[in-house]
Structures are given as structure tokens and as C-alpha cells.
Amino acid sequence: MAAAPPDGQEKVIAAAQHIVKSLANSKNAADDMIRILSGFDNRFSLMTDLFPAASPNDAAGAGSVPEDDEAAYVEEDQDYEQERPRGPCDDDDLADERDAAVEDAMRVVEQWDSPAAGDRLVFESSEDAEEYLAAAACLVGEAGPRVEAALQVAMARLEEEFRQLLIRGTTSLAVEDLHASLLRRLSLTVPSFNSASSVDLDCPSFANHGDEGEESTAAGRWSSVSDGEISPYLISPETVSTLKDIADVMLRAGYAPELCQVYSEVRRDTLMECLSVLGVDKMSLEEVQRVEWGVLDGKMKKWIQALKVVVQGLLAEERRICSQILAADADAEEECFTEAAKGCVLQLLNFGDAIAIGKRSSEKLFRILGMYEALAELLPELEALFSGEARDFIKEEAEGILMRLGDAVRGTVAEFANAIRGETSRKPLPGGEIHPLTRYVMNYVRLLADYSRWLNDLLDGCETELETGADNADMTPLGHCVLILITHLLEKIEDKSKLYDDEALQNIFLMNNLWYIVQKIKDSELKSLLGDNWIRKRRGQIRRYSTGYLRSSWTRVLACLRDDGLPHATGSSSALKAALKERFKSFNLAYEELYRTQTAWRVVDPQLREELKINISEKVLPAYRSFVGRFQGQLEGGRNFAKYIKYSPEDVENQVSDFFEGKRLNA
């Protein structure tokens, strides 16, 4: 026989029996009490004689719960389980369960770390991914060398899986995707830059963006989430959700540095690849200086496009993706976005800086203005993407580049003014037409007006060597600049008119060029810069050139039709006839010379051309008609009559219509 238990143990057993009897009426409740007591002393768990074995009739015995009260008892038992205070035995039970869960978690991690797992990725299967994430999460916060080792293995795998998801979840890049899809979507909300060169800056692929094939391709990669919202530009929402799950576990485990490093490396490479697709390559200052203008012009145009896409598209989406994936840690989110984005931002800014401090030349001005305008417009949005020191750094860099681009604009305008004054071509244009310098300068100046918002600020306070007069005291800085440039042009055109030996052609040349200048001003924003008074004065100058032409061309012709110097004889005086023959002969020679030369001249403006013809007719035809009418009879019947009166007044009237048409006729 077994030895009798000591007195203390007998007392405990007796107490336990008393507690069980008073516990009430359910075997489940009794079992629960045994479990509680056994937590204090494992010897209780060995005591099987506390209760007699249950018999089939127990349910009907005194200790059973009546059938109609069973539901009420179950409810009371559940309330008791919820309300009763937890004791040490409960914690031990949970500890056992937790230990078992940790063991299972380590088993899952070790399975994937074994040779049997091969090169498979956990996240190729949603079931495997869910199990592995749960296992890794279970290990977080647990102690013990084996647990810590398993956690490190799990974090290393999650880090690599995170990297692979970032890489594999990124669709292939193509310029038509970035331009035709992203730019087209951005164009719905992005204000257009008010530059004359904006048409030139449009992406060529826009012309075909509505084609069915391109639309279907774009829709597959750039699906819209909702009106006004674009899905993550390279990563699907499902992948973003999975990345967030991994990031949550790694951040809880204290692996933020490793997570941030992976995210930053992959996304930095992706954004840099986007820049390359957009045509913005990394170039040193020396490389920028060596590139010929035609190539550099294209790179500057692509830079302007890329800045808009990067700031308003790529980085805005990168910020949104980053905030979703790293929602659990604001500091990690900020670090990841900054490290991923700053590379492409600095590459953009560095190219802008290289242009700003590069060699200045007139042809660069409008691209530089386009770059200045784009950066100034987008800087608030660019700043808003960053925070803290990164934001301060980006702002300082961008503002410094804006300042240097502004210096480049002012310097280039000064270079342009010097180029006008230094233009040295000495070959007169045939026919007195518009000089190429006039066309170039006026088209150049006209484009300046499209940047009035920026140029008025950039040119404000600039010293100029030209006094514009009291009537221009209220002129804007750009208006003052334009006036200086046009004044230089007018002075140069005046000099070039002296290349013509014929004074009449000088006047035609000046009239053509001034008319062109006035038209360019009148039909553009330049009119508001220079004012109506300036235009009225220049139109008066055009009329003076017209009068100067008539005087220099037709004075000698009209002198042949005056009575001055004719003999005062009557009848068929031989002296009068001889004088008349000489007069008609001189008229014919002078008129034929004008006709031969001035039909080859060209007055560009049709209205101005017709006005000149009318002026000629009004001055010459009445005098010729009167002279012929009075003296034709003196020569009629004589020999060679047609030799002297070669042209009827009607002939002269018809031939005047040939003047200034640019025709090359033989004498």
C-alpha cells in the first residue's frame, strides 16, 4: 500500500474536496477548478480520486443541471470566465501557448532557411507569405538565443523579399508610357506655362496619344483608381499592400535601417532610370560646355519637360507610395523618400546650374527663360515633397540656381543688345526688302513679351545706357528693355540704309523695315509695353519715308513736265519744238529708268504698296496729262512723233501698277 499522505497534504485535499462540492453543479466547472488548483501545485493534477468517475446516470443526479436551466447556466459560466480576475495559473497557460507558437514560428523560419526551400521566394504564394509574416511577427519581442537567431534569419529573408517585390513589382519603363500616359493625365490639372515656346515644348507623342493601341497599352500599366487620382505609377496596389505588411513587421522588429536602405536603393535606381527615359542624362559642367548648341537645345527642352514630370508626377506618386508602405513609422517614411528622391532631384538641379553658369549666347535665352519659369513655378511643389533639413537643402539649392539662371537671363539680354550693335553685314538686300536682322530681332523681342511676368522681376533695377524720355517714365522694366533693343535695331537699320546709293531705295528700305517693326509690335503684347504713342510716332516716320521716296524718285521726272525754260514762241516755232523734243526725250529716259529699276523693288506690305502707287499716280499723271495735252500739237505731223511722245497718259497709269512688285524686267 502506498504511504498515507502527510497531514498538510490531507488538509489540502480535504479543502479541495470542499471547494469542489461547493462549486456547484457542472463537471465542466469542477474540471476547471482542478485545472486552477493544479497550477499552484502539480501534485493536484495527479489526484484522480477527488471525484468519482462519471456514470451514465450522473446527468439525472442531484449535481446535474436541469435541462430547462442549461442555457442560463452556460451564459453564467461564460460571464464568470470573462469577469473573474486572472491568476498566475492563467499567465502560465498563456505562456505555454505562446511558447508553442514561438516554436511553430521558428519551425516555419527554419524550413525556409533549409536547403529544401531552394531559391523559392516566400511571397510567390499568398499562403506561404501569410504564414511566414505571422511567424516573423510572432518572434518579435521574444527572448532567447535561438529565437533571436531565428528572428535575424527571418528579417534577412524579409529584407530580400522586400527588395525583390520592389524590383519585380516595377513595370518596364518606356518613354511613351511616361509621356503619353503620365503627361497626358497631368495636363488635366497642371497649369500650362505661358511661354510662346510652349507649343515647341510639347511632347511629339501627344499627337498620337488618342490612338487605340497606345491607349490600351497605357491603361494596362497606368490604371486609374478614381477620378482625378492615378494609381501608383510603377507599382500595383496589391504589391504596395504586401510591401506594407513586410515593412510593418520589420519596423516592429527594429529593422528600420535595413528596410530604409533597401527601399532607398531600389527606388533611387528606378527614379534615375525614369530620368534617363525622359532624356536627362548626368552631365558635368565641362560636358555641358562642350555640347554643340543644337544638341544642348534639345537637352534643355527635355529638362523642362522632365522637371514637370518628375515633380508633379513621379515624386508626387513616390511620396504617396512611400507613405502607404511605411505608414507605421513617419521617420522611416521621411528617410526613405528623401534618400530615394534626392538623387534625381539633384541631377536635375545640377544640369540647371551648369546651364546657368555656362557660356552665354543669344540663342540660349528662351530655353534659359523656360528653365527659369519651370523651376520657379514648380519650386513650391518640390519643397512640399520634402521636410526638415532635406527641404531646407533642396530649397536653398533651387533658389541658388534660380538666382544664377536670372543672372544668365540678364547677361544674355545684354549680350543680345551688344550683338545687335555689333552686327557688321555690309551687303545691301536687293529691292530694299526687310533685313534678316530686323526679322530676327523683332521675333526675338516679341518672344520676350511672353515672359513678361518673370522678366519684369529679373530686369527690375537693371541700369541701362539709353535715356527713354519723360513720356516713358511709367514703362515696365521689360518695356524699357524692349525699347532699348528696338532703338539699337533702328539705329542699325539706319546705318544699313546708307549701303544703297539710290536715295529713293534708301527710303524704301527704311519704310519696309520700320513697317515690319511696327506690325510686330502692334499685333503682339509689345504694344502694351511700348504704348500707342510710340506706334503713332513710328507710323508718322513711315509717311516721311514715303514722302522722301517720292521726292527723290520723281522730282527729276516732274521737272521735265514744267513750263520753266521753254521758249515763249507761238505757232510752230522751231526753238519751241526743239525744246519740247528734248523735254519729252528726258521724260522718257527718266521714266523708263524708274520703271526698269523700281518694278524690281518690293514694298512688302500690300496696303503700303498700293498707297505708294496712288501717290505716284496723283503726282505724275495730272502733270503728264496736262503737258501732253498742251504741247502734243506742236509735234504732231513731224518726223519721229512717236519717238518723243512714246507713252500716253493711260500707258503711264497702267505701268505704275507694276512698281514695287519685285519683278525683274529688262529695260
Side-chain angles (χ1 to χ4, degrees):
M1 289 184 61
D7 291 345
Q9 182 168 327
E10 289 178 350
K11 292 180 180 179
V12 172
I13 292 173
Q17 288 174 334
H18 179 73
I19 293 172
V20 170
K21 288 179 181 178
S22 63
L23 185 62
N25 312 310
S26 169
K27 184 178 183 300
N28 291 335
D31 288 342
D32 186 57
M33 181 55 69
I34 294 172
R35 200 164 47 248
I36 293 172
L37 292 173
S38 68
F40 290 97
D41 191 328
N42 60 11
R43 286 170 293 182
F44 282 108
S45 63
L46 303 176
M47 299 175 186
T48 57
D49 59 341
L50 290 176
F51 296 98
S55 68
N57 298 324
D58 283 346
S64 64
V65 180
E67 208 171 81
D68 55 349
D69 293 332
E70 183 175 355
Y73 175 79
V74 170
E75 182 177 351
E76 290 176 2
D77 185 54
Q78 290 174 342
D79 290 342
Y80 166 76
E81 287 291 332
Q82 294 173 358
E83 295 175 4
R84 66 182 176 86
R86 299 184 64 86
C89 56
D90 294 288
D91 292 337
D92 288 344
D93 186 54
L94 291 176
D96 290 341
E97 293 179 359
R98 185 165 61 248
D99 289 344
V102 169
E103 285 292 335
D104 288 341
M106 287 191 292
R107 178 184 53 78
V108 170
V109 171
E110 289 165 357
Q111 280 180 344
W112 281 97
D113 194 42
S114 68
D119 295 329
R120 286 194 306 125
L121 294 177
V122 173
F123 286 83
E124 290 177 352
S125 163
S126 59
E127 292 81 5
D128 290 341
E130 183 177 353
E131 181 185 41
Y132 198 89
L133 274 177
C138 182
L139 297 178
V140 175
E142 298 297 329
R146 184 164 166 246
V147 173
E148 291 176 1
L151 181 62
Q152 290 179 1
V153 170
M155 291 300 106
R157 173 168 283 277
L158 288 180
E159 180 182 334
E160 183 57 28
E161 299 265 348
F162 189 88
R163 181 191 301 276
Q164 293 302 322
L165 280 170
L166 277 177
I167 295 172
R168 297 184 182 188
T170 300
T171 61
S172 60
L173 298 173
V175 68
E176 60 267 21
D177 293 325
L178 290 172
H179 281 168
S181 297
L182 185 56
L183 279 177
R184 177 156 48 86
R185 291 170 191 262
L186 287 174
S187 68
L188 300 176
T189 56
V190 177
S192 60
F193 296 116
N194 61 339
S195 67
S197 56
S198 60
V199 174
D200 182 45
L201 293 177
D202 283 344
C203 176
S205 63
F206 280 8
N208 300 317
H209 76 261
D211 292 351
E212 182 178 351
E214 180 176 312
E215 191 72 36
S216 62
T217 301
R221 297 183 182 180
W222 302 73
S223 59
S224 178
V225 175
S226 61
D227 292 342
E229 183 181 1
I230 308 170
S231 66
Y233 72 97
L234 291 176
I235 305 178
S236 69
E238 294 79 10
T239 303
V240 170
S241 177
T242 303
L243 290 168
K244 179 184 183 301
D245 292 340
I246 297 175
D248 287 346
V249 174
M250 292 186 69
L251 290 170
R252 280 180 51 209
Y255 280 74
E258 291 81 359
L259 179 68
C260 290
Q261 182 177 358
V262 172
Y263 184 95
S264 302
E265 287 177 356
V266 175
R267 301 308 297 164
R268 179 173 61 245
D269 291 345
T270 299
L271 291 174
M272 295 300 283
E273 186 178 352
C274 286
L275 271 191
S276 180
V277 170
L278 291 168
V280 180
D281 301 316
K282 188 174 183 179
M283 298 178 68
S284 66
L285 174 60
E286 293 75 17
E287 290 172 327
V288 172
Q289 296 284 2
R290 288 196 301 265
V291 172
E292 63 179 18
W293 166 241
V295 176
L296 186 60
D297 178 58
K299 289 185 177 295
M300 294 169 74
K301 179 170 70 172
K302 288 179 179 178
W303 185 93
I304 295 170
Q305 292 175 339
L307 186 68
K308 299 174 188 177
V309 175
V310 167
V311 174
Q312 296 177 318
L314 302 185
L315 292 188
E317 286 299 309
E318 188 67 38
R319 169 56 91 176
R320 188 167 74 90
I321 294 171
C322 190
S323 66
Q324 290 177 349
I325 295 173
L326 299 159
D329 190 328
D331 292 337
E333 174 195 339
E334 200 60 43
E335 179 183 349
C336 285
F337 174 79
T338 299
E339 292 302 315
K342 70 179 182 181
C344 72
V345 172
L346 290 179
Q347 183 165 316
L348 282 166
L349 293 180
N350 288 339
F351 180 83
D353 204 25
I355 294 296
I357 63 180
K359 183 179 179 181
R360 294 169 185 172
S361 58
S362 300
E363 65 268 17
K364 293 181 182 179
L365 178 61
F366 296 103
R367 288 291 181 223
I368 294 175
L369 275 169
M371 292 175 68
Y372 182 95
E373 181 181 48
L375 184 55
E377 289 274 11
L378 294 169
L379 182 53
E381 294 178 60
L382 180 60
E383 287 181 41
L385 291 169
F386 296 88
S387 64
E389 293 182 359
R391 177 175 182 171
D392 295 340
F393 175 75
I394 294 294
K395 180 180 181 181
E396 182 179 356
E397 287 292 307
E399 287 178 344
I401 292 167
L402 277 177
M403 182 183 68
R404 289 186 286 278
L405 285 171
D407 291 340
V409 167
R410 287 185 289 270
T412 305
V413 170
E415 286 287 330
F416 183 61
N418 292 332
I420 297 173
R421 290 181 295 185
E423 205 275 342
T424 58
S425 64
R426 303 298 298 170
K427 184 178 180 180
L429 265 70
E433 294 194 36
I434 300 168
H435 198 280
L437 178 66
T438 303
R439 294 183 185 275
Y440 181 73
V441 170
M442 290 312 301
N443 287 327
Y444 197 97
V445 168
R446 191 174 179 182
L447 284 174
L448 289 176
D450 293 326
Y451 294 90
S452 58
R453 172 187 173 187
W454 307 106
L455 284 172
N456 277 323
D457 291 335
L458 292 173
L459 299 174
D460 191 21
C462 291
E463 294 183 1
T464 58
E465 70 283 6
L466 180 69
E467 292 296 330
T468 57
D471 57 336
N472 295 314
D474 295 332
M475 233 177 220
T476 63
L478 177 57
H480 191 72
C481 171
V482 167
L483 181 58
I484 292 171
L485 296 174
I486 292 177
T487 301
H488 290 331
L489 174 62
L490 291 173
E491 291 171 351
K492 185 58 64 173
I493 292 301
E494 182 72 31
D495 290 342
K496 292 185 180 300
S497 71
K498 297 179 174 60
L499 298 173
Y500 298 99
D501 295 330
D502 192 325
E503 183 182 350
L505 187 52
Q506 291 180 11
N507 282 284
I508 293 295
F509 174 77
L510 291 168
M511 183 168 53
N512 274 331
N513 282 271
L514 184 55
W515 169 85
Y516 184 85
I517 292 170
V518 169
Q519 287 301 116
K520 285 291 184 180
I521 293 172
K522 183 174 70 70
D523 297 337
S524 70
E525 291 298 317
L526 294 173
K527 180 179 179 180
S528 62
L529 296 177
L530 298 181
D532 293 332
N533 188 49
W534 189 92
I535 294 176
R536 281 194 297 270
K537 288 182 178 180
R538 302 293 85 74
R539 282 177 170 167
Q541 186 65 45
I542 292 173
R543 288 191 293 271
R544 287 192 289 275
Y545 289 143
S546 175
T547 301
Y549 156 78
L550 290 170
R551 182 182 62 252
S552 58
S553 280
W554 295 94
T555 297
R556 189 161 66 93
V557 174
L558 292 172
C560 299
L561 305 177
R562 289 198 296 265
D563 294 345
D564 300 349
L566 290 176
H568 294 285
T570 60
S572 58
S573 166
S574 59
L576 178 58
K577 287 183 180 180
L580 287 173
K581 288 180 180 180
E582 190 63 30
R583 287 291 181 91
F584 277 109
K585 182 179 178 181
S586 297
F587 172 84
N588 292 339
L589 289 173
Y591 172 73
E592 288 169 355
E593 176 64 19
L594 290 179
Y595 184 84
R596 182 181 65 83
T597 58
Q598 295 190 14
T599 52
W601 296 356
R602 185 165 181 266
V603 174
V604 177
D605 178 46
Q607 182 178 346
L608 194 57
R609 185 165 61 241
E610 290 305 311
E611 288 177 0
L612 270 180
K613 293 176 182 179
I614 292 170
N615 289 337
I616 292 171
S617 297
E618 288 176 348
K619 287 184 177 297
V620 176
L621 284 176
Y624 185 67
R625 186 176 285 111
S626 174
F627 194 79
V628 170
R630 284 187 295 123
F631 298 112
Q632 181 177 359
Q634 296 289 337
L635 302 179
E636 282 181 338
R639 287 191 309 167
N640 300 320
F641 172 78
K643 176 182 177 181
Y644 299 107
I645 305 180
K646 295 173 65 174
Y647 306 101
S648 68
E650 289 74 21
D651 291 335
V652 174
E653 182 176 12
N654 291 333
Q655 289 174 350
V656 167
S657 64
D658 294 333
F659 279 62
F660 316 121
E661 296 288 345
K663 298 177 181 179
R664 299 293 174 182
L665 302 175
N666 294 325

